[in-house]
Amino acid sequence: MILLVIDTSAIASAAIVRWHEDEARGAVLAQFATEDTKSHAEVLAPGIRALLIEQELKGSDVDRIVVGVGPGPFTGLRSGIATARALAFAWNTPLAGLMSLDAIAWDVLAGVRPPATEFLVATDARRREVYWARYSARGVLLEGPQVDYPDALPALPVYGAGGGIYREKLESAGAVVVRTFENAQPTAASLGLAAVERLARGEELLDAAPRYLRESDAKVPGPRKKALS
């Protein structure tokens, strides 16, 4: 099975993952990820096209599309989900979602020293807040996703770029920011491997509805006020 995986919850990233259904893990065939958190729309489609060309694949060769559904800022997250939906429609390919924070959780558990206790994954939500989720030492989601101020998080090890940005506030509240992950962002490659492990266990993925956790800043204008006579 060939999966095209997309995540734009923080940076723009895409990956092609191969998975044999009798195996517990998949393999990343190709991937790209930007460092910029504001150029998703410009780089995503060309990046996906380049991955397909590199692997000599056509849209009809993709068996499933998996997209990160956040949490994340509106503009970036919409870019990835809209692209995934458009490709799924054009290629008549099944589409599923997965929480973007699961990508960092997968990286944490795949590391040289996985945590022996519960841990948090946190990314930057802007407005001096973080998106976060709490996981068991085995990677089971226990709480979240949520958006909060850093000093409202549980006093646990914190992995992800949210930890690096708000280190002082987190540590003053009793959390421990893991330095080797203080710049980590969700990537499509890790999200795809997390999705494969879930599928291998017979678990369902999510739908592709975005998890914004906030209302949009853009508001529909109310009725125009009548001019004074």
Side-chain angles (χ1 to χ4, degrees):
M1 177 183 290
I2 297 294
L3 288 77
L4 171 64
V5 189
I6 299 168
D7 190 273
T8 56
S9 61
I11 59 176
S13 62
I16 295 174
V17 176
R18 182 182 61 209
W19 174 50
H20 298 294
E21 296 186 34
D22 58 345
E23 296 179 353
R25 289 200 170 191
V28 177
L29 301 182
Q31 62 176 305
F32 87 89
T34 66
E35 295 184 2
D36 186 8
T37 60
K38 298 181 180 179
S39 62
H40 304 74
E42 294 87 342
V43 303
L44 188 58
I48 292 171
R49 185 183 304 114
L51 293 181
L52 293 173
I53 292 172
E54 175 187 333
Q55 294 299 310
E56 299 181 349
L57 295 171
K58 299 177 293 184
S60 57
D61 296 320
V62 176
D63 299 295
R64 179 180 292 216
I65 298 173
V66 177
V67 63
V69 295
F74 281 82
T75 303
L77 196 56
R78 272 199 303 260
S79 297
I81 293 176
T83 299
R85 287 175 173 172
L87 294 177
F89 177 79
W91 298 341
N92 192 27
T93 302
L95 172 65
L98 195 64
M99 187 175 70
S100 300
L101 300 178
D102 286 351
I104 297 179
W106 190 93
D107 289 332
V108 171
L109 296 174
V112 177
R113 294 182 179 178
T117 63
E118 294 180 6
F119 64 94
L120 307 179
V121 170
T123 57
D124 184 20
R126 303 172 187 173
R127 304 183 189 175
R128 302 179 182 178
E129 293 178 321
V130 293
Y131 298 119
W132 67 277
R134 180 168 62 97
Y135 295 85
S136 74
R138 298 183 63 184
V140 177
L141 179 65
L142 301 176
E143 184 180 2
Q146 297 186 40
V147 58
D148 280 304
Y149 290 110
D151 54 10
L153 271 60
L156 291 169
V158 181
Y159 296 78
I165 294 171
Y166 301 105
R167 171 186 297 279
E168 290 186 6
K169 290 187 177 181
L170 286 163
E171 292 185 341
S172 66
V176 178
V177 176
V178 180
R179 292 183 178 275
T180 52
F181 277 81
E182 64 182 2
N183 297 313
Q185 302 279 24
T187 64
S190 296
L191 191 74
L193 295 175
V196 163
E197 287 195 356
R198 187 166 297 186
L199 291 170
R201 294 194 298 264
E203 300 176 14
E204 296 292 329
L205 302 183
L206 304 175
D207 59 35
R211 276 62 172 174
Y212 291 125
L213 303 188
R214 286 190 183 128
E215 294 185 1
S216 173
D217 289 334
K219 302 296 182 183
V220 177
R224 297 181 65 180
K225 296 181 179 179
K226 295 181 179 180
L228 296 175
S229 57

mmCIF file of all heavy atoms in Angstrom, residues 2 4 21 29 46 55-56 59-60 64 79 96 116 123 137 154 163 165 170 172 174 176 179-180 207 210 226:
data_model
loop_
_atom_site.group_PDB
_atom_site.id
_atom_site.type_symbol
_atom_site.label_atom_id
_atom_site.label_comp_id
_atom_site.label_asym_id
_atom_site.label_seq_id
_atom_site.Cartn_x
_atom_site.Cartn_y
_atom_site.Cartn_z
ATOM 1 N N ILE A 2 0.524 2.199 -0.852
ATOM 2 C CA ILE A 2 1.230 3.476 -0.917
ATOM 3 C C ILE A 2 0.347 4.558 -0.311
ATOM 4 O O ILE A 2 -0.810 4.732 -0.705
ATOM 5 C CB ILE A 2 1.589 3.854 -2.368
ATOM 6 C CG1 ILE A 2 2.546 2.824 -2.971
ATOM 7 C CG2 ILE A 2 2.197 5.250 -2.430
ATOM 8 C CD1 ILE A 2 3.907 2.782 -2.312
ATOM 9 N N LEU A 4 0.055 8.671 0.616
ATOM 10 C CA LEU A 4 0.524 10.050 0.543
ATOM 11 C C LEU A 4 0.077 10.728 1.830
ATOM 12 O O LEU A 4 -1.111 10.724 2.155
ATOM 13 C CB LEU A 4 -0.068 10.773 -0.663
ATOM 14 C CG LEU A 4 0.197 12.286 -0.712
ATOM 15 C CD1 LEU A 4 1.688 12.592 -0.839
ATOM 16 C CD2 LEU A 4 -0.590 12.937 -1.846
ATOM 17 N N GLU A 21 0.566 -4.752 4.508
ATOM 18 C CA GLU A 21 -0.419 -4.903 5.573
ATOM 19 C C GLU A 21 -0.119 -6.035 6.544
ATOM 20 O O GLU A 21 -0.767 -6.141 7.583
ATOM 21 C CB GLU A 21 -1.813 -5.069 4.965
ATOM 22 C CG GLU A 21 -2.241 -3.825 4.203
ATOM 23 C CD GLU A 21 -3.669 -3.896 3.713
ATOM 24 O OE1 GLU A 21 -4.508 -4.498 4.402
ATOM 25 O OE2 GLU A 21 -3.956 -3.351 2.638
ATOM 26 N N LEU A 29 9.398 6.466 1.826
ATOM 27 C CA LEU A 29 10.101 6.409 0.549
ATOM 28 C C LEU A 29 10.662 7.768 0.153
ATOM 29 O O LEU A 29 11.736 7.847 -0.449
ATOM 30 C CB LEU A 29 9.168 5.906 -0.549
ATOM 31 C CG LEU A 29 8.550 4.516 -0.345
ATOM 32 C CD1 LEU A 29 7.682 4.154 -1.545
ATOM 33 C CD2 LEU A 29 9.628 3.460 -0.118
ATOM 34 N N PRO A 46 3.689 21.903 -5.332
ATOM 35 C CA PRO A 46 4.924 21.555 -6.049
ATOM 36 C C PRO A 46 5.740 20.494 -5.318
ATOM 37 O O PRO A 46 6.368 19.641 -5.955
ATOM 38 C CB PRO A 46 5.690 22.885 -6.104
ATOM 39 C CG PRO A 46 4.643 23.935 -5.954
ATOM 40 C CD PRO A 46 3.613 23.345 -5.053
ATOM 41 N N GLN A 55 9.521 9.241 -7.128
ATOM 42 C CA GLN A 55 9.221 7.828 -6.924
ATOM 43 C C GLN A 55 8.566 7.179 -8.146
ATOM 44 O O GLN A 55 8.171 6.016 -8.092
ATOM 45 C CB GLN A 55 8.290 7.679 -5.714
ATOM 46 C CG GLN A 55 8.932 8.065 -4.402
ATOM 47 C CD GLN A 55 10.137 7.202 -4.075
ATOM 48 O OE1 GLN A 55 10.062 5.981 -4.133
ATOM 49 N NE2 GLN A 55 11.258 7.841 -3.750
ATOM 50 N N GLU A 56 8.457 7.950 -9.226
ATOM 51 C CA GLU A 56 7.854 7.460 -10.472
ATOM 52 C C GLU A 56 6.441 6.929 -10.223
ATOM 53 O O GLU A 56 6.061 5.842 -10.672
ATOM 54 C CB GLU A 56 8.735 6.386 -11.122
ATOM 55 C CG GLU A 56 10.124 6.904 -11.490
ATOM 56 C CD GLU A 56 10.987 5.842 -12.156
ATOM 57 O OE1 GLU A 56 10.600 4.654 -12.147
ATOM 58 O OE2 GLU A 56 12.037 6.205 -12.703
ATOM 59 N N GLY A 59 -0.980 9.581 -9.544
ATOM 60 C CA GLY A 59 -2.019 9.672 -8.536
ATOM 61 C C GLY A 59 -2.757 8.359 -8.350
ATOM 62 O O GLY A 59 -3.134 8.004 -7.225
ATOM 63 N N SER A 60 -2.942 7.632 -9.426
ATOM 64 C CA SER A 60 -3.660 6.359 -9.347
ATOM 65 C C SER A 60 -2.881 5.292 -8.589
ATOM 66 O O SER A 60 -3.449 4.262 -8.199
ATOM 67 C CB SER A 60 -3.986 5.853 -10.759
ATOM 68 O OG SER A 60 -2.792 5.713 -11.528
ATOM 69 N N ARG A 64 -4.019 5.474 -0.437
ATOM 70 C CA ARG A 64 -4.715 6.207 0.624
ATOM 71 C C ARG A 64 -3.982 7.506 0.884
ATOM 72 O O ARG A 64 -2.755 7.578 0.781
ATOM 73 C CB ARG A 64 -4.765 5.372 1.913
ATOM 74 C CG ARG A 64 -5.444 6.068 3.076
ATOM 75 C CD ARG A 64 -5.485 5.216 4.321
ATOM 76 N NE ARG A 64 -6.356 4.073 4.177
ATOM 77 C CZ ARG A 64 -7.114 3.583 5.158
ATOM 78 N NH1 ARG A 64 -7.113 4.167 6.335
ATOM 79 N NH2 ARG A 64 -7.851 2.524 4.967
ATOM 80 N N SER A 79 -4.708 24.790 4.324
ATOM 81 C CA SER A 79 -3.962 24.511 3.095
ATOM 82 C C SER A 79 -3.748 23.012 2.910
ATOM 83 O O SER A 79 -3.961 22.473 1.823
ATOM 84 C CB SER A 79 -2.609 25.231 3.125
ATOM 85 O OG SER A 79 -2.768 26.622 3.171
ATOM 86 N N ALA A 96 -8.191 9.953 5.013
ATOM 87 C CA ALA A 96 -8.371 9.851 6.464
ATOM 88 C C ALA A 96 -7.496 10.908 7.131
ATOM 89 O O ALA A 96 -6.587 11.473 6.523
ATOM 90 C CB ALA A 96 -7.999 8.455 6.961
ATOM 91 N N ALA A 116 9.808 7.155 30.267
ATOM 92 C CA ALA A 116 9.313 6.081 31.126
ATOM 93 C C ALA A 116 8.043 6.486 31.847
ATOM 94 O O ALA A 116 7.470 5.694 32.591
ATOM 95 C CB ALA A 116 10.388 5.698 32.145
ATOM 96 N N THR A 123 2.926 22.347 20.768
ATOM 97 C CA THR A 123 3.367 23.177 19.653
ATOM 98 C C THR A 123 2.860 24.595 19.857
ATOM 99 O O THR A 123 1.991 24.852 20.690
ATOM 100 C CB THR A 123 2.850 22.623 18.313
ATOM 101 O OG1 THR A 123 1.408 22.539 18.360
ATOM 102 C CG2 THR A 123 3.436 21.246 18.031
ATOM 103 N N ALA A 137 3.219 6.546 28.662
ATOM 104 C CA ALA A 137 4.583 6.181 28.290
ATOM 105 C C ALA A 137 4.615 5.280 27.061
ATOM 106 O O ALA A 137 5.644 5.185 26.385
ATOM 107 C CB ALA A 137 5.278 5.483 29.464
ATOM 108 N N PRO A 154 0.021 20.349 32.678
ATOM 109 C CA PRO A 154 0.472 19.477 33.767
ATOM 110 C C PRO A 154 1.991 19.490 33.905
ATOM 111 O O PRO A 154 2.722 19.744 32.939
ATOM 112 C CB PRO A 154 -0.034 18.086 33.334
ATOM 113 C CG PRO A 154 -1.120 18.357 32.363
ATOM 114 C CD PRO A 154 -0.750 19.621 31.661
ATOM 115 N N GLY A 163 7.422 23.747 23.716
ATOM 116 C CA GLY A 163 8.282 23.711 24.886
ATOM 117 C C GLY A 163 9.461 24.648 24.760
ATOM 118 O O GLY A 163 9.835 25.336 25.716
ATOM 119 N N ILE A 165 9.692 27.371 22.876
ATOM 120 C CA ILE A 165 9.280 28.773 22.830
ATOM 121 C C ILE A 165 8.883 29.290 24.212
ATOM 122 O O ILE A 165 9.187 30.429 24.571
ATOM 123 C CB ILE A 165 8.111 28.936 21.837
ATOM 124 C CG1 ILE A 165 8.597 28.635 20.412
ATOM 125 C CG2 ILE A 165 7.515 30.337 21.909
ATOM 126 C CD1 ILE A 165 7.477 28.548 19.395
ATOM 127 N N LEU A 170 6.744 27.227 31.239
ATOM 128 C CA LEU A 170 6.475 25.815 31.499
ATOM 129 C C LEU A 170 7.255 25.326 32.713
ATOM 130 O O LEU A 170 6.705 24.656 33.596
ATOM 131 C CB LEU A 170 6.827 24.983 30.267
ATOM 132 C CG LEU A 170 5.858 25.084 29.097
ATOM 133 C CD1 LEU A 170 6.513 24.556 27.819
ATOM 134 C CD2 LEU A 170 4.578 24.312 29.387
ATOM 135 N N SER A 172 8.530 27.089 35.134
ATOM 136 C CA SER A 172 8.104 27.736 36.376
ATOM 137 C C SER A 172 6.840 27.084 36.929
ATOM 138 O O SER A 172 6.562 27.171 38.130
ATOM 139 C CB SER A 172 7.849 29.226 36.142
ATOM 140 O OG SER A 172 6.746 29.422 35.281
ATOM 141 N N GLY A 174 6.427 23.812 36.747
ATOM 142 C CA GLY A 174 6.793 22.459 37.150
ATOM 143 C C GLY A 174 7.023 21.480 36.029
ATOM 144 O O GLY A 174 7.393 20.326 36.278
ATOM 145 N N VAL A 176 8.959 19.918 32.607
ATOM 146 C CA VAL A 176 10.359 19.754 32.218
ATOM 147 C C VAL A 176 10.428 19.730 30.696
ATOM 148 O O VAL A 176 9.906 18.821 30.046
ATOM 149 C CB VAL A 176 10.951 18.444 32.779
ATOM 150 C CG1 VAL A 176 12.393 18.281 32.316
ATOM 151 C CG2 VAL A 176 10.855 18.416 34.291
ATOM 152 N N ARG A 179 15.134 19.170 25.947
ATOM 153 C CA ARG A 179 15.903 20.032 25.050
ATOM 154 C C ARG A 179 16.093 19.437 23.663
ATOM 155 O O ARG A 179 16.127 20.169 22.671
ATOM 156 C CB ARG A 179 17.268 20.351 25.678
ATOM 157 C CG ARG A 179 17.166 21.235 26.912
ATOM 158 C CD ARG A 179 18.521 21.602 27.467
ATOM 159 N NE ARG A 179 18.409 22.494 28.620
ATOM 160 C CZ ARG A 179 18.300 23.814 28.539
ATOM 161 N NH1 ARG A 179 18.303 24.402 27.357
ATOM 162 N NH2 ARG A 179 18.198 24.555 29.637
ATOM 163 N N THR A 180 16.225 18.131 23.573
ATOM 164 C CA THR A 180 16.450 17.525 22.252
ATOM 165 C C THR A 180 15.212 17.614 21.356
ATOM 166 O O THR A 180 15.306 17.350 20.151
ATOM 167 C CB THR A 180 16.852 16.048 22.398
ATOM 168 O OG1 THR A 180 15.896 15.373 23.229
ATOM 169 C CG2 THR A 180 18.232 15.924 23.010
ATOM 170 N N ASP A 207 -11.558 11.194 10.714
ATOM 171 C CA ASP A 207 -11.989 11.813 9.466
ATOM 172 C C ASP A 207 -11.080 13.014 9.197
ATOM 173 O O ASP A 207 -10.182 13.316 9.981
ATOM 174 C CB ASP A 207 -13.463 12.214 9.529
ATOM 175 C CG ASP A 207 -13.765 13.194 10.660
ATOM 176 O OD1 ASP A 207 -12.905 14.045 10.956
ATOM 177 O OD2 ASP A 207 -14.854 13.114 11.249
ATOM 178 N N PRO A 210 -10.928 19.433 10.274
ATOM 179 C CA PRO A 210 -9.868 20.124 11.003
ATOM 180 C C PRO A 210 -10.197 20.298 12.482
ATOM 181 O O PRO A 210 -11.351 20.513 12.850
ATOM 182 C CB PRO A 210 -9.768 21.478 10.306
ATOM 183 C CG PRO A 210 -11.121 21.688 9.702
ATOM 184 C CD PRO A 210 -11.611 20.323 9.313
ATOM 185 N N LYS A 226 -28.498 51.534 9.493
ATOM 186 C CA LYS A 226 -29.193 52.528 8.713
ATOM 187 C C LYS A 226 -28.634 53.919 9.000
ATOM 188 O O LYS A 226 -28.302 54.249 10.126
ATOM 189 C CB LYS A 226 -30.686 52.505 9.032
ATOM 190 C CG LYS A 226 -31.387 51.203 8.626
ATOM 191 C CD LYS A 226 -32.853 51.269 8.942
ATOM 192 C CE LYS A 226 -33.548 49.986 8.508
ATOM 193 N NZ LYS A 226 -35.018 50.029 8.824
#
